[in-house]
Amino acid sequence: MAEVVKMPKMSDTMTEGVLAKWHKKVGDQVKSGDVLAEVETDKATMDFESFQDGTLLYIGVEEGAAVPVDAVIAVLGKEGEDYKAALEAEGGSAAADKKEEKPAEDKKEESKPAGESKPKVDLSSIPAAVIRMPLLSDTMTEGVINKWNFKVGDKVKSDDSLADVETDKATMEVVGYEEGTLLYIGVKEGEAAKVNDIIAIVGKEGTDIQPLLDGGADTGSSSTGGSSEEKSAETATASATATKEQAATSDDDSRVKASPLARKIAKDKGINLNEVKGSADGGRIVKKDIEGFTPSTKEVQEAATKEAAAPVKTEKAISLPTYTGEERFTEKPVTQMRKAIGRRLSESLFTAPHFFVTMSIDMDAAMAARVKMNDIAPVKISFNDLVLKACAVALKQHPVINSAWLGDKIRFNEHVHIGVAVAVDEGLLVPVIKFADGKSLSHLSVEVKEFAKKAKDKKLQPNEMEGSTFTISNLGMFGVDEFTAIINTPNSCILAVSGIQAVPVVKNGAVVPGNVMKVTLSSDHRTVDGASAAAFLQTLKALLEEPVRLLI
């Protein structure tokens, strides 16, 4: 009897899977344990093995298509068996009618009325495979092609790295899993493509790939730019013919008819005779005309301007050198990592009600203990390792700090997975030290150093940055006195660790030199209260001021 094969749930967060590649085709014999297909989940690309024996009768999902968990993707049974009953039992009869592979003799295309619709092409007969943008992390929605390692026309092998793709977490290699000639590159270097978009096609040299481009893209026909309308260069020509300035009144008033006395008085008062209307015969200007003349608004403004422009007499002029600067800037596109940092931290800060509690810790005993530890330890123990171990121990005693807000419930994690913020050139990565409470200081030191190196080399995998229950951000190596950090949701808290400062402290009633480190706990008030945060810091303080407690 025919049996349906469903999309399995391959991770705890998986809701759908993408059929990256089929390893069997319709009519092939399948044994239990054979790899049917490669499925791309939200974590990684994994092999999907068959649990039944039989013949592959039906494939319901094309390569590159996404399918929800538990959806029917294939049918196995005896050769020649009718598989429609099995599909109908799963409610998939409609899909079967659409995707049923008919025998060759029944494939007669009916001539349709005159129209421009293209005839359907059997994509499976084309000797080429579509390479799509893979889902390389659980939060990835698009990827930027950082670099193509091959160009169109190059021969590629199934294990060759086709390109370097920049995600919101790191820059990772994309393997095509196909052998042949690189026929098409759909995304240029530096451009972004959404998950599952076509980025390349690999196949037999000379293959016509247009049907794959027409029918293989989920987003429809690729954009060809269209005809862009050029804007007319004759914009606002009316403004070019601006109104002409009115002719200014001539300053030369020597040809104006005026008596010598009127001319002298006008000169003393700075009056332009062209503005004065004469009252004597023939329009001649006399004394009374000058004395009764009222300057126009224009003349008053001009006089004020001249007065303001007059040089001010100073006792001693100061000569300053002339410096001419140039305003310059550089703009760069926002990387996937910076987009993710901006999105996630904005959501955290504006959604989770933060509050901050700071405490000073005497590090004299921790510094002395570290020196003794490094005398016998196989690896060098850092202050960050001591803080990490102390946090792991304290979290077991204060489970509310190790909790997570899930909307309608609060999850109290019994395991301790501590994220350690690592600065890289492009931004910030947070690898996770899992089950930190059960690991020794030497173990923690080695693991932190390995993760830091991977982060710098862009080799961190998505599963190495997931599942944290608490986070530590340490800026002590930069000599920072104090700072606050934004919670890495869904964690309830993050600890900001500052540098160790040599300051005077009071011990036994006397002021003595001391070494003090300030730590600030950022907490989500939806899950943690002030008293709980303070109690956690008290425990952390006691552990670091008496490091022997870490061994108990």
Side-chain angles (χ1 to χ4, degrees), residues 81-366:
E81 184 179 358
D82 183 12
Y83 58 83
K84 287 186 179 180
L87 285 176
E88 289 173 357
E90 295 293 332
S93 59
D97 292 340
K98 289 182 179 180
K99 297 187 177 181
E100 179 182 3
E101 296 189 4
K102 298 182 180 180
E105 59 269 21
D106 293 336
K107 288 186 177 178
K108 295 181 180 179
E109 296 185 2
E110 298 179 1
S111 58
K112 295 183 179 180
E116 296 182 359
S117 60
K118 296 181 180 179
K120 292 185 178 180
V121 179
D122 183 8
L123 300 182
S124 62
S125 64
I126 299 176
V130 170
I131 310 298
R132 298 178 183 270
M133 176 63 72
L135 184 69
L136 298 174
S137 76
D138 56 339
T139 57
M140 176 181 173
T141 56
E142 65 177 11
V144 174
I145 300 295
N146 191 289
K147 179 184 178 184
W148 281 104
N149 298 323
F150 294 90
K151 61 182 183 292
V152 173
D154 287 352
K155 300 290 184 180
V156 297
K157 298 179 181 179
S158 60
D159 57 350
D160 282 342
S161 172
L162 292 180
D164 295 339
V165 173
E166 181 186 328
T167 72
D168 55 346
K169 297 288 179 71
T171 300
M172 307 175 71
E173 296 178 346
V174 172
V175 179
Y177 300 108
E178 298 291 340
E179 190 165 337
T181 302
L182 185 58
L183 304 174
Y184 171 80
I185 289 179
V187 182
K188 297 179 181 178
E189 290 184 356
E191 292 183 352
K194 293 183 178 180
V195 171
N196 212 34
D197 276 359
I198 295 176
I199 60 173
I201 296 178
V202 175
K204 185 178 179 181
E205 189 173 1
T207 302
D208 180 14
I209 61 171
Q210 193 58 44
L212 292 174
L213 295 175
D214 292 340
D218 294 336
T219 55
S221 59
S222 57
S223 59
T224 56
S227 58
S228 59
E229 297 182 4
E230 297 183 358
K231 294 184 178 180
S232 174
E234 304 172 2
T235 56
T237 51
S239 59
T241 58
T243 55
K244 298 179 180 179
E245 296 183 2
Q246 296 180 351
T249 305
S250 174
D251 290 336
D252 183 14
D253 57 5
S254 58
R255 300 179 64 85
V256 178
K257 293 180 181 180
S259 67
L261 179 59
R263 190 176 294 278
K264 182 178 181 302
I265 296 173
K267 184 177 181 181
D268 294 340
K269 291 186 175 182
I271 297 174
N272 189 336
L273 292 177
N274 288 306
E275 301 293 332
V276 182
K277 185 176 181 181
S279 59
D281 294 339
R284 187 168 177 265
I285 299 172
V286 294
K287 176 183 176 183
K288 68 176 182 179
D289 297 327
I290 299 298
E291 291 177 342
F293 175 72
T294 301
S296 65
T297 303
K298 177 180 177 182
E299 287 178 324
V300 172
Q301 290 175 346
E302 289 178 354
T305 303
K306 290 180 180 179
E307 184 177 349
V312 179
K313 294 182 179 180
T314 56
E315 294 181 359
K316 186 178 181 180
I318 300 175
S319 177
L320 295 176
T322 302
Y323 178 79
T324 303
E326 181 183 0
E327 294 183 355
R328 295 187 299 176
F329 58 86
T330 301
E331 292 183 349
K332 295 182 179 180
V334 180
T335 64
Q336 294 296 105
M337 186 181 295
R338 290 244 65 92
K339 287 180 183 178
I341 291 172
R343 182 182 68 254
R344 285 180 54 80
L345 295 188
S346 296
E347 290 173 357
S348 173
L349 186 60
F350 300 130
T351 303
H354 286 52
F355 74 92
F356 311 98
V357 181
T358 301
M359 189 169 287
S360 297
I361 300 174
D362 185 352
M363 294 296 288
D364 284 344

Side-chain angles (χ1 to χ4, degrees), residues 398-523:
H398 301 273
V400 69
I401 306 298
N402 202 39
S403 64
W405 174 265
L406 300 181
D408 58 345
K409 55 183 174 289
I410 298 174
R411 174 179 293 171
F412 293 90
N413 297 296
E414 297 178 9
H415 57 279
V416 176
H417 291 352
I418 298 182
V420 180
V422 177
V424 295
D425 293 339
E426 295 83 2
L428 190 69
L429 295 175
V430 186
V432 180
I433 309 296
K434 297 185 177 178
F435 306 107
D437 56 314
K439 296 177 179 178
S440 66
L441 278 168
S442 298
H443 192 158
L444 292 173
S445 180
V446 171
E447 199 164 342
V448 169
K449 289 180 175 65
E450 287 180 352
F451 278 146
K453 187 177 186 303
K454 280 187 174 182
K456 301 286 185 185
D457 297 339
K458 301 179 181 179
K459 299 295 184 182
L460 275 177
Q461 297 301 309
N463 64 316
E464 295 173 328
M465 295 181 282
E466 298 171 354
S468 65
T469 61
F470 183 82
T471 308
I472 296 174
S473 180
N474 189 347
L475 294 180
M477 66 287 296
F478 298 104
V480 173
D481 292 335
E482 184 180 349
F483 74 103
T484 58
I486 299 174
I487 299 168
N488 183 26
T489 53
N491 297 171
S492 288
C493 299
I494 183 172
L495 185 72
V497 182
S498 303
I500 299 175
Q501 306 293 332
V503 295
V505 297
V506 178
K507 291 184 179 180
N508 300 322
V511 178
V512 297
N515 295 283
V516 174
M517 179 180 73
K518 287 186 177 181
V519 294
T520 300
L521 186 70
S522 306
S523 303

Side-chain angles (χ1 to χ4, degrees), residues 386-399:
L386 289 171
V387 173
L388 179 60
K389 180 64 176 178
C391 286
V393 174
L395 286 170
K396 296 296 288 186
Q397 300 178 34
H398 301 273

